[in-house]
Amino acid sequence: MKTDGFDQLDRSLVHALQLDGRAPFSRIAEVLGVSDQTVARRYGRLRSAGMIKVLGLTDPAALGETEWIVRVQCTPDAAVAVAEALARRPDTSWVSLMSGGTEIGVVCRSASSQDSDALLLQKLPRTPSVVGVTAHCVVHEFFGGALGLVNKSGALTEEQAGQLRHPVSAMARARAADPPGRTVPVTLTDADRRLLDSLAEDGRTGLAELAAATGWSQSTVRRRLSELRAQGALYYDVDYDARHFGLGVMVSLWLSVAPSELAATGTALAQHPEVAFACATTGPHNLFASVLCPDVRSLYTYLTTRIAALPAVRNMETAPLIRRLKGAGPYGYGRIFSGPPASASVPGRAR
């Protein structure tokens, strides 16, 4: 598959930044065996061309928020306008046109059950062109967020990844494998939110700019960044075009699994190299995944081998992604694959 001049060093750089989005170029260069200037130059070129972007994002579970995967069915003539309206909302992410352009997939976040009611019953678009809405609460995440699909790409060796992996990455893996019991949500101040807003635009924003945005000293900014990461509230993701890794087809996969086998099946699904995001949800389909494959033939092979080998799967529904309007970050970003529902990167990400 054509990768538009994206070479092995570029892919290794993306992998390195996924492991630690604010890693100094000198440390990345040392692990990759190139000069600091080479890494800085590559990043600058890719960043200025809009080919990659580091995003500082918040984990809804750490903040006590609830995520919903919402499926909006529309008439074909209205789907784009409705999707764009959803993408402009600050409480949405992963807005995509699916299934022949008549369905929109969107992830919504709410801070409380009251907010969830308002979001799902009042704030979603109400127009005759919207013919159906279903909402599925995310009850457990098996893979996604800080873990990132690029970690399955092999762009770095395990030894290289181990040298670059931030300690928080290991914590994220541990939480996915063995979710903690009820924890106290992280409380954010207004200054924290200004900090996080800046990082959502550019996860590598310099300390001086972050200090100006928050009114803190640079040492306070540095300390708060460390605290938010250690608490699991802040993680870094890389927005890129998955086609640079040879992945051209993305589908949302909805599975019905016997409740007694849900945890084991979700854990197994999360290990598949094709899976960018996997979670347990409410509803008749209780396991969701975003799947990326090189092409349609590869997708067929995946469905008839790895998925077919999961014994607890009773029913399956697939919905191909046609166009991504918004990814995990602010409106205007969204090529890669790290969260629900992920895309195969049409211009205009993956979770």
Side-chain angles (χ1 to χ4, degrees), residues 8-347:
Q8 180 57 37
L9 179 57
D10 297 327
R11 287 186 281 274
S12 297
L13 177 56
V14 171
H15 194 170
L17 291 169
Q18 182 68 51
L19 291 167
D20 187 355
R22 291 183 69 88
F25 289 148
S26 58
R27 184 155 66 91
I28 296 175
E30 181 180 1
V31 173
L32 298 186
V34 298
S35 69
D36 301 9
Q37 293 82 0
T38 296
V39 171
R41 189 164 52 246
R42 285 297 183 103
Y43 176 78
R45 176 178 64 82
L46 296 171
R47 175 72 174 82
S48 61
M51 299 173 75
I52 66 171
K53 188 176 184 68
V54 177
L55 304 173
L57 304 172
T58 56
D59 186 322
L63 299 181
E65 298 176 345
T66 301
E67 279 191 305
W68 296 82
I69 301 176
V70 181
R71 307 175 72 178
V72 181
Q73 288 76 39
C74 298
T75 57
D77 61 310
V80 172
V82 173
E84 288 176 341
L86 288 168
R88 286 190 288 269
R89 294 174 53 94
D91 54 0
T92 65
S93 59
W94 303 109
V95 181
S96 305
L97 290 175
M98 316 290 292
S99 304
T102 59
E103 179 176 313
I104 301 164
V106 56
V107 175
C108 301
R109 290 170 65 156
S110 60
S112 66
S113 58
Q114 183 177 357
D115 289 340
S116 295
D117 291 344
L119 171 68
L120 300 174
L121 300 178
Q122 302 171 24
K123 295 183 181 179
L124 287 176
R126 291 189 174 188
T127 165
S129 300
V130 174
V131 297
V133 177
T134 57
H136 310 263
C137 182
V138 176
V139 295
H140 176 66
E141 184 176 296
F142 294 104
F143 189 84
L147 300 179
L149 181 64
V150 71
N151 287 324
K152 300 178 179 181
S153 69
L156 296 178
T157 66
E158 187 53 42
E159 180 181 0
Q160 289 174 315
Q163 292 176 289
L164 287 165
R165 186 174 289 115
H166 193 279
V168 171
S169 298
M171 294 166 58
R173 290 179 181 274
R175 284 195 297 269
D178 185 20
R182 184 175 179 84
T183 58
V184 178
V186 176
T187 300
L188 300 178
T189 66
D190 289 342
D192 285 332
R193 296 188 185 280
R194 293 194 298 272
L195 175 71
L196 294 169
D197 286 344
S198 295
L199 293 171
E201 294 286 346
D202 183 356
R204 293 185 67 87
T205 299
L207 291 176
E209 294 177 64
L210 294 175
T214 58
W216 295 334
S217 67
Q218 292 189 33
S219 60
T220 299
V221 169
R222 186 182 293 108
R223 183 176 65 252
R224 190 55 177 154
L225 288 175
S226 297
E227 290 172 349
L228 290 171
R229 290 189 80 175
Q231 293 167 333
L234 169 67
Y235 69 93
Y236 295 95
D237 203 356
V238 186
D239 183 84
Y240 61 90
D241 189 328
R243 289 174 294 192
H244 294 315
F245 286 77
L247 302 171
V249 171
M250 180 275 166
V251 299
S252 290
L253 188 64
W254 297 88
L255 304 174
S256 294
V257 177
S260 60
E261 299 295 328
L262 180 58
T265 304
T267 300
L269 188 68
Q271 303 306 310
H272 293 182
E274 298 86 354
V275 172
F277 177 81
C279 69
T281 74
T282 58
H285 294 99
N286 54 358
L287 187 57
F288 171 86
S290 291
V291 172
L292 285 84
C293 294
D295 50 40
V296 174
R297 291 178 182 272
S298 300
L299 173 62
Y300 173 77
T301 300
Y302 172 68
L303 295 176
T304 55
T305 54
R306 295 187 194 275
I307 294 298
L310 297 173
V313 174
R314 299 181 295 195
N315 293 295
M316 176 182 74
E317 179 186 351
T318 57
L321 182 144
I322 297 173
R323 176 183 169 193
R324 160 127 315 122
L325 285 82
K326 185 181 184 182
Y331 187 35
Y333 305 119
R335 277 186 298 276
I336 78 183
F337 310 74
S338 292
S343 108
S345 175
V346 284

